[in-house]
Amino acid sequence: MTDRTMHSPSRRDCLRLAAGGAAALALPARAAYPEKAITIVVTFAAGGASDIVARVIGEQLGKKLGQAVIIDNKPGAGGSIGGTAVARAAADGHTLMLSNSTPISIGPFALEKQPYDPIADFTHIASIGSAPCVVMANPAAGINTIVDLENTARKAGNLQFGSGGPASIGHIWGELMVRTLGVKMSHVPYRGGAPMTTDLIAGLIPVGIDVVTAYVPYFKSGQLRPLAVTSAQRSPLVPDVPSVLEFGQRKLVLDNFFGLTGPAKLPADVVARLNTAVNEVLAQADIKKRLLELGVTETPGTPAAFTGFVREQVAALQPLVKSIRVTL
């Protein structure tokens, strides 16, 4: 048996232990999140679909988290102005972004100097929903389906299509269609969906592409004819309009997503709390109804699933956006 001699701690040992304990007690404990108002940056002007979604979700999120939620509109540069502000914000969960395809999958690649990495510079927290684009035509154009559109474009040699602006989701989908179908079409950019709609109804352009949300009244009145939605399934907002997948065009499936995103390296507990709160909000019947009125189908899920979706869309759109050489 080995003889083990027990020694009493020396005075120096006691002082060292006491100093270590005091230092540990002196470390400030991180306050429970959230400790102040939360700002959600919207990368578009007030009044659009993203702004409305942010306000609908933000109001309920504030109730869940016990803090005010402030909406801060920072439009411009394909969503990159707002995106840059969030990427550079403190990683404490108090500055977030209502993310969507424009500032994440399109805008940063349309600029001469890419302002941020849409994956590495953010924490993608929670998926909110998705809304497809709708491809539509002036009734006088004689175009009733995507097949008609393809045939008309081939016969015309160069068919025009309008969108809400350069590098908008409608513009990008139109370029995707041109490459997928192998037809020649010219993009006509507008300063928003409203002026594009005016010219489309007037017959100055034959085809327009935009997020479906604002166009239901024009379909009901017969002023515009919907050809297809760009999602894999039909949109509940326009259930009679086929999806591009029904025409066998899997490569043309593209949804404009909405989600909650923060700066990179957000603490795991903050991400978990925000994700849970968003999913609880999306489960509310009144929120489901309000989003549906906006043409948005809720898509709750985990941070990992949302990040995976974003990663896939970025990989799909980055080379396309860069090849178009859009100047913002």
Side-chain angles (χ1 to χ4, degrees):
M1 181 179 290
T2 303
D3 182 22
R4 294 182 179 177
T5 304
M6 303 296 292
H7 296 281
S8 297
S10 67
R11 182 172 181 273
R12 180 177 295 176
D13 292 334
C14 291
L15 289 173
R16 189 182 295 114
L17 290 169
L25 290 173
L27 289 173
R30 187 157 61 89
Y33 174 82
E35 55 183 304
K36 59 183 179 180
I38 297 169
T39 297
I40 297 180
V41 173
V42 176
T43 60
F44 294 92
S50 291
D51 179 68
I52 297 171
V53 169
R55 294 177 191 278
V56 168
I57 298 298
E59 180 182 3
Q60 298 302 313
L61 199 60
K63 293 177 182 178
K64 295 283 183 185
L65 299 176
Q67 287 285 358
V69 172
I70 300 166
I71 305 302
D72 184 10
N73 297 90
K74 291 184 180 295
S80 296
I81 291 176
T84 299
V86 174
R88 293 177 179 174
D92 58 10
H94 293 95
T95 301
L96 307 171
M97 173 170 63
L98 194 286
S99 55
N100 56 65
S101 299
T102 298
I104 297 296
S105 309
I106 299 172
F109 306 118
L111 297 170
E112 185 175 347
K113 183 178 180 181
Q114 185 176 328
Y116 48 75
D117 185 302
I119 304 298
D121 291 338
F122 295 104
T123 302
H124 296 293
I125 301 164
S127 174
I128 292 173
S130 63
C133 286
V134 62
V135 190
M136 51 199 161
N138 181 292
I143 301 172
N144 300 311
T145 67
I146 290 293
V147 175
D148 289 344
L149 176 59
E150 179 180 359
N151 292 335
T152 302
R154 291 191 189 284
K155 291 177 182 178
N158 189 7
L159 192 69
Q160 290 184 322
F161 74 92
S163 80
S168 66
I169 188 72
H171 175 201
I172 298 306
W173 190 90
E175 298 291 351
L176 182 64
M177 175 180 62
V178 167
R179 285 158 174 73
T180 301
L181 300 181
V183 296
K184 188 173 181 180
M185 297 182 69
S186 297
H187 175 234
V188 182
Y190 287 84
R191 299 178 69 87
M196 186 269 286
T197 304
T198 299
D199 277 7
L200 185 57
I201 291 174
L204 298 180
I205 54 173
V207 176
I209 308 166
D210 201 1
V211 177
V212 67
T213 307
Y215 295 92
V216 177
Y218 302 109
F219 301 153
K220 290 182 177 179
S221 68
Q223 292 174 286
L224 294 176
R225 178 169 294 153
L227 311 181
V229 291
T230 64
S231 48
Q233 295 83 32
R234 296 191 180 200
S235 168
L237 198 62
V238 283
D240 295 332
V241 180
S243 73
V244 289
L245 199 56
E246 293 177 57
F247 293 102
Q249 298 294 344
R250 182 171 296 278
K251 291 182 179 180
L252 293 182
V253 173
L254 177 62
D255 281 324
N256 183 39
F257 73 85
F258 300 95
L260 195 65
T261 290
K265 300 180 180 179
L266 281 185
D269 60 325
V270 172
V271 174
R273 184 157 192 212
L274 284 167
N275 180 268
T276 297
V278 170
N279 287 341
E280 289 176 351
V281 170
L282 295 177
Q284 298 174 200
D286 58 331
I287 298 300
K288 288 176 180 285
K289 180 181 178 182
R290 184 71 184 98
L291 291 176
L292 180 59
E293 292 170 350
L294 296 170
V296 178
T297 302
E298 77 278 359
T299 55
T302 64
F306 181 39
T307 302
F309 170 84
V310 172
R311 192 182 301 275
E312 289 177 1
Q313 190 179 89
V314 168
L317 295 187
Q318 178 180 354
L320 174 62
V321 175
K322 286 186 173 181
S323 72
I324 297 170
R325 302 184 183 278
V326 180
T327 302
L328 293 176

